Amino acid sequence: MTRRDLVDDVLSAADDPPGPLTDESDAPPATDETDIPPESSDDDLLDALGDEVSRDVLLACNRAPMTAEELAENCDVSESTIYRRLETLSSLGLVERTQRIDAPSKTCYETVVDGLSIHLGDSLRVEAGSSNYVVDAMRTLLAAIDVQQLAYDREQNSVDVRFRLAPHLLDSLVELYVRDTNSREE
């Protein structure tokens, strides 16, 4: 039985119980304008991110909308280089044109994603959009453990999980748990 089958079995055993496993806020986000356009490929996105100027543009435009002139000065490159990078980043859905209140007649650019995830599996997959650090952490945990049993208690709104863990990972888990427990008590 796969992990997904196990989760599906637990959830289907309850009649859509409320709680963290079925809360709509945990559902995959609806596609919106911050998602990478379907025509862009993962290779195109990785190529753009491999370029230092493109990364500098994304970071600068994430802090505040900036004009091409400001970006050229900030990145220490020519405006024509900035416009080429902006065209690429815009076509990938990572930046968009906007205007600032203090300069309404000038076109500015801002980063429209706050996170990128690279997933390795049967193939390489890149996702852009809002970051969900809790879900990312759970994915990382599930990749490292072998879930043996999963039970959801609707009344207690709790999950009991039994899993196998390599001994070296058990030591790390116990250390993190103790450290986290101690910091919450202080």
Side-chain angles (χ1 to χ4, degrees):
M1 178 177 277
T2 67
R3 290 182 191 148
R4 183 75 242 161
D5 293 337
L6 187 61
V7 171
D8 289 343
D9 285 350
V10 169
L11 294 178
S12 66
D15 298 320
D16 296 325
L21 289 179
T22 59
D23 189 15
E24 288 180 8
S25 65
D26 288 339
T31 301
D32 63 21
E33 67 276 356
T34 64
D35 290 338
I36 295 174
E39 64 274 3
S40 68
S41 75
D42 293 340
D43 289 340
D44 294 337
L45 181 59
L46 291 172
D47 287 344
L49 295 174
D51 178 68
E52 184 178 359
V53 174
S54 292
R55 291 191 308 267
D56 290 345
V57 167
L58 285 171
L59 290 171
C61 292
N62 193 46
R63 289 187 284 276
M66 297 183 79
T67 65
E69 181 181 341
E70 292 168 331
L71 286 167
E73 184 177 318
N74 186 63
C75 298
D76 199 28
V77 296
S78 69
E79 281 188 52
S80 61
T81 298
I82 290 297
Y83 279 114
R84 284 193 301 273
R85 296 316 188 279
L86 287 169
E87 184 178 329
T88 299
L89 294 171
S90 178
S91 72
L92 292 169
L94 301 176
V95 298
E96 68 180 18
R97 290 179 187 200
T98 188
Q99 292 181 325
R100 288 192 312 228
I101 294 173
D102 65 335
S105 63
K106 293 187 176 186
T107 299
C108 296
Y109 300 86
E110 68 180 331
T111 303
V112 292
V113 297
D114 73 349
L116 293 169
S117 298
I118 299 174
H119 303 274
L120 301 173
D122 294 339
S123 65
L124 183 83
R125 190 175 85 250
V126 181
E127 295 175 1
S130 298
S131 298
N132 188 333
Y133 301 107
V134 174
V135 171
D136 291 343
M138 286 190 276
R139 279 190 183 121
T140 301
L141 177 65
L142 286 172
I145 64 175
D146 180 15
V147 175
Q148 302 292 305
Q149 181 181 353
L150 179 79
Y152 179 71
D153 184 335
R154 180 180 5 182
E155 291 177 16
Q156 296 293 321
N157 197 24
S158 65
V159 178
D160 290 320
V161 181
R162 180 178 298 160
F163 56 90
R164 290 183 195 263
L165 193 60
H168 71 283
L169 293 176
L170 177 62
D171 294 340
S172 298
L173 177 67
V174 170
E175 181 182 324
L176 288 170
Y177 178 77
V178 168
R179 190 179 328 153
D180 185 57
T181 302
N182 291 339
S183 69
R184 278 187 272 156
E185 290 175 355
E186 294 174 357

